[in-house]
Amino acid sequence: MYDEAFWNKRYADRNYLYGTEPNSFLAEHFSLLSSPVLSLSEGEGRNAVFLASRGLEVVGVDISSVALEKAERLAESCGVEIKTLVADLATFEPEENYYGSVISISAHLPSPVRNRLYPLIERSLKRDGVVILEAFSENQLSRSTGGPKDADMLMTVEKLKQEFPNLEPVLLHEVEREVSEGAGHTGMASVVQFIGRKP
Ligand SMILES: C[S@@+](CC[C@H](N)C(=O)[O-])C[C@H]1O[C@@H](n2cnc3c(N)ncnc32)[C@H](O)[C@@H]1O
């Protein structure tokens, strides 16, 4: 349902669906990150461009070529460089012991995809590497302020504990917060926020 064609169509408009400002949880904690940063499901570039403007080297992966073309244009207009890679996270193989950090902002994936990918993410981090993740929680199902209408793709604190067993949680909780991210995410939302460090 949420495949490449779905996302390319959603991003076809010239406006930025989730705006051009970074996710606020990421903006609050970006100082914990080190390069290179792998951004899962980067979308139209708002988070990668923000991190690049703070001096970090970022690789943004997304299944949507339309999104990543917009990300490249946003980077150019802001005078920063980002790397982009069109790839399906269902088959993506990140380099081992390579990344200083991984970010995952509203990167909702089906559990079989997460179960294959997340161990590879743990493996791809260098020692002391950090994951910053924010995702809509299962409690978001009753709201219309963003996120997939599929409980399997929504997160909980328990799922995160189980799916990143080798990272030490620095922060892991569920909160309700106001989101204001373009037309795509607007209003009160239930999200899970996670910062994990590889020992
Ligand atoms: C809600 S958007 C979030 C985009 C971006 N992280 C942000 O915060 O603005 C979800 C993104 O996941 C991407 N996506 C969905 N399934 C994917 C997959 N299997 N592999 C890679 N990217 C995927 C979509 O193309 C879309 O850009």
Side-chain angles (χ1 to χ4, degrees), residues 3-4 7-8 41 61-65 68 85-89:
D3 60 5
E4 183 183 357
W7 284 106
N8 278 338
S41 297
V61 178
D62 202 284
I63 201 169
S64 166
S65 57
L68 292 181
L85 178 65
V86 179
D88 186 345
L89 291 172

Side-chain angles (χ1 to χ4, degrees), residues 34-39 48 51-60 81-83 98-101:
S34 56
S35 298
V37 182
L38 173 64
S39 172
L51 296 178
S53 73
R54 299 301 190 273
L56 290 157
E57 189 190 317
V58 192
V59 184
E81 278 190 23
I82 59 169
K83 289 187 188 140
Y98 179 78
Y99 290 100
S101 335

Side-chain angles (χ1 to χ4, degrees), residues 2 7 11 18 41-43 46-47 62-64 87-90 105-106 109 185:
Y2 298 106
W7 284 106
Y11 287 131
Y18 303 106
S41 297
E42 169 54 40
R46 65 192 181 110
N47 296 315
D62 202 284
I63 201 169
S64 166
D88 186 345
L89 291 172
I105 303 297
S106 304
L109 298 164
H185 298 155

